[in-house]
């Protein structure tokens, strides 16, 4: 029978380590993309939810209070004042040290003991077993999932491999010793679908040089602006900066046509930019001439850009299928020092059936 200690402390330690690993990827993502750390650290999934530091602190507190409420002594108090990735990593390390110092016998045997949880909303009563299984583990994973979603929404390349981590590593070791090729194939396919779309390897039908790809995207840009009055009005001065398979970077200097009544980049203009440039990213995937019709669009407005500002637009075709294409976009203000400040984050789904290039 699994003891109360086994149900709680080792599980919390494992996922605190996984959280630490995901935070490392978050910090590296910011550094690689020249994004200020505070942009990711202060981002909220929605206005009434808190940012990344709070989610990490809540994971820590949930784990730490488990130890104290089940009888462990000398559990330290943390001030919940972390603001940087380094401070959050230190907080996780201290929390793991607290948990690893707990004697299993302090917790075991308290399955039916009354636990009183005092909060600002009042006192809540549990048995030890209910406290662990109905509050601690679910609440811990609520905040862990919130941290994951904050980073994933901002573009950090996370997936089930990162959240569960050594669960998959153990499965890989298990199947490496298994001679059943079908089992190995099924496991590979499961792992592949567990990765975020932007990390999956897909092979287009068209093999083309980067020069050909860039020329194709530039031609499509010119054609779209010539055919569409709204594209020409908004995107006439957009410049193509770089093109790779499934990714297009453009830059645009904001003029009066792009601003709202407050003098900032207009939300509707952001939507037009997303519609225009994600189509270019889809076209860059396999050199198709048309890019389908919009099905769904999600936009997060994070900061402002004003008249004369240069914005860099990075559009990525995360997955291009036979019927539907999923793309993401980052619109960032180019600061005077060359760094990028995220202004708008978008996701765009298009129906693309029939738009694939015809085979020669």
């Amino acid at each position: 029978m699994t003891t109360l200690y086994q149900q709680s402390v080792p599980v919390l330690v494992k996922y605190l380590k996984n959280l630490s690993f995901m935070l490392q990827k978050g910090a590296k993502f910011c550094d690689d993309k020249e994004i200020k750390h505070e942009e990711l650290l202060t981002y909220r999934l929605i206005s009434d939810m808190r940012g990344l530091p709070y989610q990490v602190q809540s994971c820590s507190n949930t784990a730490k209070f488990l130890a104290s409420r089940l009888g462990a002594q000398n559990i330290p108090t943390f001030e919940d004042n972390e603001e940087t990735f380094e401070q959050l990593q230190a907080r996780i390390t201290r929390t793991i040290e607290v948990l690893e110092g707990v004697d299993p016998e302090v917790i075991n045997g308290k399955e039916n003991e009354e636990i009183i949880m005092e909060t600002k909303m009042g006192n809540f009563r549990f048995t030890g077993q209910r406290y662990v299984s109905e509050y601690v583990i679910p609440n811990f994973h609520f905040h862990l999932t919130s941290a994951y979603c904050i980073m994933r929404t901002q573009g950090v390349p996370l997936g089930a491999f990162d959240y569960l981590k050594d669960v998959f590593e153990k499965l890989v070791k298990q199947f490496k010793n298994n001679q059943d090729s079908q089992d190995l194939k099924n496991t590979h396919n499961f792992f592949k679908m567990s990765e975020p779309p932007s990390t999956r390897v897909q092979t287009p039908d068209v093999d083309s040089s980067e020069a050909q790809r860039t020329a194709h995207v530039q031609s499509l840009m010119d054609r779209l602006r010539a055919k569409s009055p709204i594209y020409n009005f908004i995107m006439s001065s957009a410049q193509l900066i770089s093109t790779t398979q499934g990714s297009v970077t453009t830059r645009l200097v904001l003029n009066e046509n792009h601003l709202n009544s407050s003098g900032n980049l207009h939300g509707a203009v952001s939507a037009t930019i997303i519609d225009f440039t994600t189509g270019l990213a889809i076209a860059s995937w396999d050199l198709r001439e048309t890019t389908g019709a919009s099905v769904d669009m999600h936009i997060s407005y994070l900061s402002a850009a004003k008249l004369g500002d240069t914005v860099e637009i990075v559009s990525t075709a995360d997955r291009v299928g036979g019927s539907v294409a999923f793309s993401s976009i980052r619109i960032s203000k180019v600061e005077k020092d060359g760094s990028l400040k995220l202004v708008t984050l978008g996701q765009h789904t298009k129906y693309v059936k029939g738009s694939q290039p015809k085979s020669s």
Side-chain angles (χ1 to χ4, degrees):
M1 180 178 177
T2 304
T3 66
L4 198 60
Y5 175 88
Q6 291 170 330
Q7 295 173 46
S8 55
V9 172
V11 175
L12 296 172
V13 169
K14 164 188 163 52
Y15 282 100
L16 282 167
K17 291 179 178 178
N18 292 2
L19 174 58
S20 174
F21 176 76
M22 290 191 286
L23 289 175
Q24 290 176 22
K25 294 190 73 170
K28 184 178 185 302
F29 173 81
C30 290
D31 293 338
D32 290 346
K33 299 293 185 180
E34 297 183 346
I35 300 168
K36 294 179 180 179
H37 285 191
E38 54 264 32
E39 290 189 18
L40 181 56
L41 290 164
T42 58
Y43 176 77
R44 298 184 179 206
L45 292 172
I46 196 168
S47 60
D48 61 353
M49 288 186 71
R50 301 192 190 183
L52 194 53
Y54 177 81
Q55 308 305 333
V56 176
Q57 291 158 3
S58 295
C59 287
S60 168
N61 286 331
T62 300
K64 187 164 58 73
F65 286 137
L66 164 98
S68 61
R69 287 177 178 141
L70 290 179
Q73 301 297 312
N74 301 317
I75 303 300
T77 299
F78 298 150
E79 295 183 10
D80 293 341
N81 59 359
E82 294 82 9
E83 296 180 343
T84 67
F85 281 111
E86 292 79 8
Q87 291 169 347
L88 292 174
Q89 291 286 9
R91 171 69 176 262
I92 292 172
T93 298
R94 294 198 304 272
T95 306
I96 291 173
E97 290 173 351
V98 168
L99 293 177
E100 290 180 337
V102 173
D103 183 351
E105 296 309 312
V106 171
I107 292 178
N108 290 336
K110 294 186 176 177
E111 289 80 359
N112 297 314
E113 185 170 312
E114 183 179 65
I115 304 297
I116 299 177
M117 187 172 72
E118 298 178 356
T119 74
K120 295 178 180 179
M121 297 180 292
N123 296 341
F124 298 87
R125 298 177 183 274
F126 300 88
T127 63
Q129 181 62 64
R130 287 187 56 238
Y131 175 64
V132 169
S133 60
E134 297 182 19
Y135 175 75
V136 171
I137 299 302
N139 188 62
F140 179 91
H141 279 287
F142 171 81
H143 292 289
L144 178 59
T145 301
S146 296
Y148 171 94
C149 290
I150 286 171
M151 290 187 281
R152 187 70 192 99
T153 301
Q154 291 295 284
V156 180
L158 297 173
F161 263 111
D162 305 294
Y163 191 103
L164 299 174
K165 199 163 170 52
D166 65 344
V167 171
F168 284 141
E169 292 170 1
K170 290 174 183 177
L171 282 172
V172 169
K173 291 178 182 178
Q174 172 187 341
F175 278 98
K176 279 183 177 179
N177 297 324
N178 190 323
Q179 300 302 311
D180 189 331
S181 60
Q182 185 59 45
D183 282 346
L184 286 170
K185 182 178 180 181
N186 291 341
T187 304
H188 169 76
N189 290 338
F190 174 72
F191 288 163
K192 183 177 180 182
M193 292 308 297
S194 299
E195 301 168 9
S198 60
T199 67
R200 295 180 194 151
V201 177
Q202 304 177 56
T203 304
D205 295 329
V206 178
D207 182 17
S208 59
S209 67
E210 293 307 307
Q212 181 184 4
R213 194 185 312 278
T214 299
H216 178 82
V217 171
Q218 183 65 63
S219 175
L220 180 59
M221 283 182 67
D222 296 339
R223 190 166 68 253
L224 289 173
R225 288 184 291 205
K227 292 176 63 176
S228 169
I230 187 65
Y231 284 158
N232 187 57
F233 183 73
I234 299 297
M235 303 300 294
S236 60
S237 60
Q239 294 185 329
L240 180 62
I241 303 301
S242 65
T243 305
T244 59
Q245 181 193 344
S247 181
V248 171
T249 299
T250 55
R251 285 195 173 187
L252 179 68
V253 179
L254 300 184
N255 59 40
E256 290 85 352
N257 296 341
H258 303 127
L259 307 181
N260 59 22
S261 58
S262 299
N264 299 320
L265 176 62
H266 200 296
V269 171
S270 294
T272 302
I273 292 172
I274 292 170
D275 186 50
F276 182 83
T277 60
T278 53
L280 300 179
I282 293 169
S284 76
W285 185 252
D286 52 11
L287 306 190
R288 63 185 66 199
E289 296 292 336
T290 59
T291 60
S294 296
V295 174
D296 186 49
M297 186 181 291
H298 291 274
I299 307 175
S300 297
Y301 302 103
L302 307 176
S303 62
K306 298 181 179 295
L307 180 67
D309 287 342
T310 298
V311 292
E312 182 171 286
I313 306 149
V314 180
S315 300
T316 304
D318 294 315
R319 187 178 183 187
V320 181
S323 298
V324 179
F326 301 92
S327 55
S328 57
I329 185 170
R330 301 175 66 89
I331 303 175
S332 303
K333 174 184 172 182
V334 181
E335 301 280 27
K336 292 181 179 179
D337 62 0
S339 63
L340 300 177
K341 181 179 181 181
L342 189 60
V343 175
T344 304
L345 190 70
Q347 295 173 316
H348 192 197
T349 305
K350 300 192 77 174
Y351 180 74
V352 295
K353 189 173 183 179
S355 69
Q356 298 89 337
K358 296 179 180 179
S359 57
S360 56

